[in-house]
Amino acid sequence: MIFIRTNYIVPPGYGAISIYPLVFIRPEVDTPTLRNHENIHGKQIEELLWGPFYVLYIAFWVWGLLKYRDHQRAYQRIPFEQEAYMHEEHQRHLYDRRWYHWRRFTV
Protein backbone atom coordinates (compact mmCIF):
# COMPACT_ATOMS: atom_id res chain seq x y z
CA MET A 1 0.00 0.00 0.00
CA ILE A 2 1.14 3.53 -0.74
CA PHE A 3 0.38 5.94 2.11
CA ILE A 4 -0.33 9.59 1.32
CA ARG A 5 -0.64 11.98 4.24
CA THR A 6 -3.41 14.50 3.58
CA ASN A 7 -6.41 16.16 5.19
CA TYR A 8 -8.28 16.73 1.93
CA ILE A 9 -9.46 13.34 0.67
CA VAL A 10 -10.28 11.57 3.93
CA PRO A 11 -13.98 11.99 4.85
CA PRO A 12 -14.75 13.89 8.06
CA GLY A 13 -14.73 11.62 11.09
CA TYR A 14 -12.33 9.08 9.57
CA GLY A 15 -8.56 8.72 9.95
CA ALA A 16 -7.88 7.13 6.57
CA ILE A 17 -9.47 5.77 3.42
CA SER A 18 -8.11 3.02 1.17
CA ILE A 19 -8.51 3.29 -2.56
CA TYR A 20 -6.22 0.46 -3.56
CA PRO A 21 -3.25 0.71 -3.82
CA LEU A 22 -3.41 4.15 -2.22
CA VAL A 23 -4.22 4.98 1.39
CA PHE A 24 -5.05 8.59 2.18
CA ILE A 25 -4.32 9.17 5.86
CA ARG A 26 -4.69 12.20 8.11
CA PRO A 27 -1.22 13.23 9.40
CA GLU A 28 -2.46 13.76 12.96
CA VAL A 29 -3.63 10.13 13.27
CA ASP A 30 -0.88 8.43 11.24
CA THR A 31 0.16 5.61 13.57
CA PRO A 32 1.54 2.08 13.06
CA THR A 33 -1.81 0.74 14.30
CA LEU A 34 -3.82 2.67 11.70
CA ARG A 35 -1.34 1.73 8.97
CA ASN A 36 -1.70 -1.93 9.93
CA HIS A 37 -5.49 -1.56 9.83
CA GLU A 38 -5.27 -0.20 6.29
CA ASN A 39 -2.74 -2.87 5.27
CA ILE A 40 -5.24 -5.52 6.40
CA HIS A 41 -7.74 -3.93 4.00
CA GLY A 42 -5.03 -4.15 1.33
CA LYS A 43 -4.80 -7.92 1.86
CA GLN A 44 -8.59 -8.21 1.71
CA ILE A 45 -8.63 -6.30 -1.58
CA GLU A 46 -5.88 -8.51 -3.00
CA GLU A 47 -7.93 -11.61 -2.12
CA LEU A 48 -11.08 -10.38 -3.82
CA LEU A 49 -9.61 -8.10 -6.44
CA TRP A 50 -10.46 -4.43 -6.54
CA GLY A 51 -14.03 -4.39 -7.83
CA PRO A 52 -15.59 -7.24 -5.83
CA PHE A 53 -14.12 -5.91 -2.56
CA TYR A 54 -15.77 -2.51 -2.92
CA VAL A 55 -19.06 -4.01 -4.13
CA LEU A 56 -19.16 -6.33 -1.11
CA TYR A 57 -18.07 -3.52 1.22
CA ILE A 58 -20.98 -1.35 0.11
CA ALA A 59 -23.41 -4.31 0.16
CA PHE A 60 -22.38 -5.20 3.73
CA TRP A 61 -22.81 -1.57 4.77
CA VAL A 62 -26.27 -1.29 3.17
CA TRP A 63 -27.31 -4.59 4.77
CA GLY A 64 -26.12 -3.29 8.15
CA LEU A 65 -27.90 0.01 7.62
CA LEU A 66 -31.18 -1.80 6.91
CA LYS A 67 -30.64 -4.12 9.85
CA TYR A 68 -29.49 -1.60 12.49
CA ARG A 69 -30.84 1.72 11.14
CA ASP A 70 -27.59 3.34 12.28
CA HIS A 71 -24.71 4.45 10.03
CA GLN A 72 -21.94 3.93 12.62
CA ARG A 73 -23.23 0.52 13.71
CA ALA A 74 -23.55 -0.56 10.07
CA TYR A 75 -19.95 0.52 9.45
CA GLN A 76 -18.68 -1.34 12.53
CA ARG A 77 -20.46 -4.54 11.46
CA ILE A 78 -18.87 -4.71 7.98
CA PRO A 79 -16.89 -7.99 8.11
CA PHE A 80 -13.83 -6.33 6.53
CA GLU A 81 -13.83 -3.69 9.27
CA GLN A 82 -14.37 -6.24 12.02
CA GLU A 83 -11.26 -8.15 10.97
CA ALA A 84 -9.20 -4.97 10.58
CA TYR A 85 -10.22 -3.55 13.98
CA MET A 86 -9.77 -6.89 15.76
CA HIS A 87 -6.23 -7.34 14.45
CA GLU A 88 -4.96 -3.79 13.86
CA GLU A 89 -2.60 -3.97 16.84
CA HIS A 90 -1.20 -7.37 15.82
CA GLN A 91 1.55 -6.60 13.35
CA ARG A 92 2.02 -10.31 12.56
CA HIS A 93 -1.60 -10.71 11.45
CA LEU A 94 -0.69 -9.81 7.87
CA TYR A 95 1.72 -12.75 7.78
CA ASP A 96 -0.25 -15.25 9.85
CA ARG A 97 -3.81 -14.66 8.61
CA ARG A 98 -5.60 -17.20 6.49
CA TRP A 99 -7.09 -16.20 3.18
CA TYR A 100 -10.64 -14.85 3.45
CA HIS A 101 -10.28 -14.49 7.23
CA TRP A 102 -12.96 -11.78 7.10
CA ARG A 103 -15.57 -14.48 6.31
CA ARG A 104 -15.56 -15.43 10.00
CA PHE A 105 -17.48 -12.23 10.75
CA THR A 106 -21.13 -11.41 10.07
CA VAL A 107 -23.06 -8.17 9.57
Side-chain angles (χ1 to χ4, degrees):
M1 303 290 281
I2 301 165
F3 289 86
I4 300 170
R5 295 169 55 116
T6 181
N7 284 314
Y8 299 109
I9 297 174
V10 181
Y14 292 90
I17 185 168
S18 294
I19 304 173
Y20 192 82
L22 305 175
V23 176
F24 299 97
I25 190 167
R26 292 187 187 278
E28 64 272 14
V29 296
D30 187 356
T31 64
T33 298
L34 184 54
R35 284 179 177 248
N36 194 47
H37 178 103
E38 297 304 327
N39 280 325
I40 292 170
H41 287 318
K43 285 290 188 186
Q44 295 165 342
I45 294 167
E46 288 173 5
E47 289 172 348
L48 289 169
L49 304 177
W50 194 89
F53 171 84
Y54 289 106
V55 169
L56 276 174
Y57 192 99
I58 292 167
F60 286 139
W61 180 78
V62 169
W63 177 252
L65 197 57
L66 293 171
K67 185 174 181 180
Y68 301 109
R69 305 270 193 244
D70 179 88
H71 165 75
Q72 189 61 29
R73 179 91 167 125
Y75 165 76
Q76 292 169 345
R77 298 300 301 169
I78 295 170
F80 301 123
E81 293 298 341
Q82 291 183 62
E83 178 191 1
Y85 279 111
M86 179 178 281
H87 298 288
E88 67 187 6
E89 293 186 16
H90 308 121
Q91 299 297 321
R92 293 250 358 125
H93 181 67
L94 289 172
Y95 305 101
D96 297 338
R97 74 184 288 274
R98 294 183 180 191
W99 279 63
Y100 302 100
H101 183 74
W102 56 269
R103 290 180 61 205
R104 297 179 49 210
F105 304 94
T106 59
V107 173

